[in-house]
Amino acid sequence: MSHKQILQALTGLLAGLFTAILSSTIVANALPTIMSDLNGSQTDFAWVITAALLANAATTPIWGKFADLFDKKMLVQVSIVIFVLGSVLAGFAQTIPLLLTARVIQGVAMGGLTALAQAIIGTIIAPRERGRYSGYMGGVMAVATAGGPLLGGFIVDSPLGWRWTFFVCVPLAIIALVLLQLTLKLPDTRRKARIDWLGSILLTAGVSLLLIWVSFAGKEGYYAWFSRESALMVGGSVILLALLLVVESKVAEPIIPLKIISQRTTALAIIASIAVGIALFASSSYLGQYYQVARGATPTEAGLLTLPMIAGNLLGSIGAGLLVTRFGKWKRYLVAGSLFLIAGLGLAGTIDHLTELWLVGIYTFVFGLGLGLMLQNLVLAVQNTVAVKDIGSASASVAFFRSMGGAAGVAVLGAILGTQVSNKTTEGLAAAGIPTTGGAAGGSLDLVDLPAPIADIVRAAYGDSTALIFTITAVIAVLGLVCVLFIKETALRRTVDFAQAAPAGPAASLSPAATGGMPAVAGGTAETSEGATLTARNEAQDGGTSGPDDAADAGRGSGTRSEDESDVVAVQPSRGRHSAGPVSILKSDIERVTQELSELDIDLASRAGADR
């Protein structure tokens, strides 16, 4: 596909992704107002975010597996319809439980859009060219992330009210649905297989139970970290996830492909993604709260104050995408991103309720830059190690663990923040000589009706406590750096799928690869009759290196053969700096050329006869 054709195919997809991201960020600056209107607490605040992330995390692998089995275009459209239903329900919510239900429905849809967007890009674009388009996706995500708080703040401050932060996404989703129908044309990669329903149920139940436990453990009115309830919930989650591993090792089409996620690159990328997810969701979620509650900013002002973080994300995502496509190297940007992420979060861990706002903006720009460098490149690294038939599951696995890490991070860090705010509020009230009734003073986000002196104490408590969130996240980000350092960089292949092996004897294909419409190229494995592979030669041309993952790739390529390659007769290595890779020749190609030469001979003979 040409660059223009790919952009046309991605128009509706990126529009749908933009709508989903916008729906989550547009609520960020509206949440304090929503909590005040619906009499919510700090726990409710965290759960409005966590509910969507939980549903996102639990359903992402399921959507990813569906993407490998069914029509991806249809699945994207279904997820958009589900999203519209959730948005309408959220807009009409009158209570916190109803709002949480609507957020769960939205989360299910967002899980589909996230997993399917990555899978579709992996289906139509080769890894070597995927960086630029992943950069575009990162740019769309950054714009949605930046525009969401601004638009949300404007709506909340307008006569429309906070409910329109949900309603406004409905027409955008419908537009995305129409664009998808008109522009997205995909090759048919569906295959018949049984759906792993048992694995889906075990995965959803195990992850949900674990996240519910971390959300309420240690909070007043619920249960302690070490209690009978905690033991039952953690024990139940461990049993369910252990059963999941047993089931996934037995079924033919597992929801979580153990063979894929156990590979070195994928496993390390997944662990790094958990750290990135915590930084992405937890830090950004509580940043808007810091600006509004601790600094007294309006929702619109809070949206403007988050722009430095979004600018860093946009710059890192698009810049890294273009550079990866140009030079074919990706690990250096993951390392740089990890360092920026740790530095930015560490600096943000020094803020309080009096820190200069321009200084806070610099800190958030730095860790936003780190996020932009890492988010898409972690997915790219994993997609480069799997065949196109597994691209949905592999992409969804990374997104799943990232969302799960984000959901757990929001819940746990929210609990820590609530405890810190409660303690500091109690200390501040005691210092001011105001009697308290324990730690409940810091539990409410409704500061409008509080007397000014008490409201000032609560604001200071929020401002001083937020720094701890960033400090903890910075420590977790160190784990991401360690994982990135141990990831083995392999050359990005220039084909959508791995080159297929020949039967016995010299093999290859002059014809485009079945899945990508491109000839077999660097990164794939083509075998000669002697069994030697061309992978090392291809990687030498690209300046890449080989490693354990490459061996796995070679084995994967040699283990499968399409029907179109049954008449392969020869392999011709392709040399040169800008070579696309080894060229294969089929019997059909020889027959076609022979027929054309025969027709040419007849034509020349007839002309010679006419001349006589």
Side-chain angles (χ1 to χ4, degrees):
M1 296 177 69
S2 67
H3 177 61
K4 181 179 179 180
Q5 290 173 325
I6 292 175
L7 287 181
Q8 289 175 343
L10 293 181
T11 301
L13 181 65
L14 294 182
L17 186 64
F18 175 84
T19 304
I21 300 296
L22 186 71
S23 73
S24 60
T25 59
I26 199 174
V27 178
N29 285 336
L31 276 179
T33 303
I34 295 173
M35 292 298 102
S36 178
D37 190 27
L38 300 182
N39 298 317
S41 65
Q42 177 64 46
T43 300
D44 297 325
F45 180 98
W47 257 96
V48 170
I49 301 170
T50 304
L53 292 177
L54 172 60
N56 188 334
T59 58
T60 294
I62 300 173
W63 284 108
K65 175 52 66 177
F66 284 178
D68 291 333
L69 303 178
F70 305 113
D71 184 2
K72 296 179 179 63
K73 179 176 179 178
M74 180 269 293
L75 290 173
V76 173
Q77 292 172 320
V78 169
S79 64
I80 291 178
V81 171
I82 295 174
F83 172 79
V84 170
L85 295 176
S87 298
V88 172
L89 182 61
F92 285 113
Q94 299 294 329
T95 62
I96 292 294
L98 185 58
L99 178 62
L100 293 178
T101 302
R103 292 291 289 169
V104 168
I105 296 174
Q106 284 187 312
V108 171
M110 286 189 286
L113 287 169
T114 302
L116 293 165
Q118 297 286 0
I120 289 173
I121 286 182
T123 301
I124 63 177
I125 307 171
R128 187 65 170 81
E129 301 298 325
R130 202 172 296 159
R132 67 192 299 189
Y133 300 102
S134 295
Y136 296 156
M137 176 180 286
V140 168
M141 295 173 66
V143 171
T145 306
L150 286 173
L151 182 59
F154 174 78
I155 292 174
V156 171
D157 290 337
S158 73
L160 294 174
W162 62 265
R163 296 184 184 279
W164 275 90
T165 58
F166 297 105
F167 292 145
V168 74
C169 294
V170 174
L172 295 176
I174 294 174
I175 292 173
L177 197 64
V178 174
L179 287 175
L180 275 169
Q181 183 62 34
L182 296 176
T183 63
L184 186 58
K185 308 296 181 183
L186 296 176
D188 188 359
T189 58
R190 293 173 291 175
R191 64 183 194 270
K192 294 182 179 180
R194 297 182 61 183
I195 300 174
D196 180 20
W197 293 114
L198 179 58
S200 303
I201 295 171
L202 291 173
L203 173 66
T204 303
V207 171
S208 300
L209 189 59
L210 185 63
L211 292 181
I212 290 172
W213 169 67
V214 300
S215 299
F216 294 105
K219 293 186 178 179
E220 186 177 355
Y222 293 97
Y223 44 84
W225 287 101
F226 298 98
S227 62
R228 183 172 62 88
E229 292 85 354
S230 291
L232 289 174
M233 297 182 78
V234 174
S237 179
V238 170
I239 292 173
L240 290 171
L241 294 178
L243 289 174
L244 172 67
L245 292 178
V246 174
V247 171
E248 299 305 272
S249 65
K250 302 293 184 182
V251 298
E253 295 287 346
I255 290 295
I256 300 291
L258 300 181
K259 291 183 180 179
I260 293 178
I261 66 174
S262 62
Q263 294 177 16
R264 175 179 173 179
T265 296
T266 307
L268 291 173
I270 282 174
I271 299 174
S273 293
I274 293 175
V276 171
I278 294 174
L280 174 65
F281 294 109
S283 300
S284 59
S285 296
Y286 295 113
L287 184 62
Q289 186 180 7
Y290 167 80
Y291 285 130
Q292 291 187 64
V293 178
R295 307 309 296 266
T298 65
T300 303
E301 292 169 344
L304 291 171
L305 289 170
T306 57
L307 283 179
M309 181 187 73
I310 307 307
N313 195 328
L314 181 64
L315 178 63
S317 180
I318 295 180
L322 294 174
L323 291 172
V324 167
T325 296
R326 180 171 183 179
F327 299 107
K329 302 293 184 180
W330 47 267
K331 182 175 178 178
R332 63 189 64 176
Y333 305 111
L334 289 177
V335 175
S338 300
L339 294 174
F340 279 121
L341 186 61
I342 295 170
L345 291 171
L347 290 171
T350 64
I351 66 175
D352 57 27
H353 69 289
L354 297 176
T355 304
E356 295 289 342
L357 291 177
W358 64 267
L359 200 56
V360 178
I362 292 176
Y363 299 161
T364 58
F365 172 84
V366 174
F367 79 69
L369 181 62
L371 289 172
L373 289 169
M374 296 187 71
L375 281 171
Q376 300 301 321
N377 286 322
L378 283 172
V379 178
L380 176 63
V382 171
Q383 289 181 340
N384 190 51
T385 66
V386 299
V388 72
K389 69 183 181 63
D390 296 317
I391 203 85
S393 297
S395 303
S397 296
V398 177
F400 163 68
F401 285 101
R402 184 176 64 215
S403 298
M404 188 177 71
V410 168
V412 174
L413 294 177
I416 295 173
L417 178 62
T419 301
Q420 281 290 106
V421 169
S422 181
N423 293 338
K424 288 184 177 294
T425 300
T426 302
E427 294 172 2
L429 293 175
I434 302 174
T436 65
T437 56
S444 175
L445 291 176
D446 186 6
L447 304 183
V448 177
D449 298 327
L450 290 178
I454 297 180
D456 289 340
I457 292 174
V458 174
R459 292 184 189 280
Y462 269 99
D464 298 341
S465 300
T466 302
L468 182 61
I469 299 295
F470 291 110
T471 301
I472 295 174
T473 308
V475 174
I476 297 173
V478 175
L479 176 62
L481 173 61
V482 174
C483 291
V484 165
L485 290 175
F486 281 96
I487 289 179
K488 180 72 173 180
E489 182 168 27
T490 56
L492 297 175
R493 64 178 186 268
R494 296 181 184 271
T495 48
V496 172
D497 204 357
F498 291 104
Q500 306 297 324
S509 168
L510 222 225
S511 305
T515 53
M518 299 171 63
V521 293
T525 303
E527 294 187 359
T528 65
S529 57
E530 291 77 17
T533 67
L534 296 173
T535 302
R537 183 182 304 168
N538 297 334
E539 289 177 345
Q541 293 169 359
D542 274 348
T545 58
S546 60
D549 289 321
D550 299 287
D553 294 348
R556 191 182 301 108
S558 62
T560 58
R561 177 169 61 90
S562 68
E563 296 178 357
D564 293 337
E565 295 173 357
S566 59
D567 59 345
V568 179
V569 295
V571 157
Q572 178 61 48
S574 179
R575 298 179 174 81
R577 181 177 180 182
H578 299 290
S579 167
V583 177
S584 306
I585 303 175
L586 297 174
K587 289 180 180 178
S588 57
D589 295 317
I590 296 176
E591 292 171 356
R592 175 175 53 81
V593 173
T594 301
Q595 181 179 357
E596 291 176 355
L597 290 174
S598 177
E599 292 174 352
L600 181 60
D601 288 339
I602 294 173
D603 183 58
L604 291 174
S606 62
R607 290 184 182 181
D611 291 339
R612 292 194 195 97

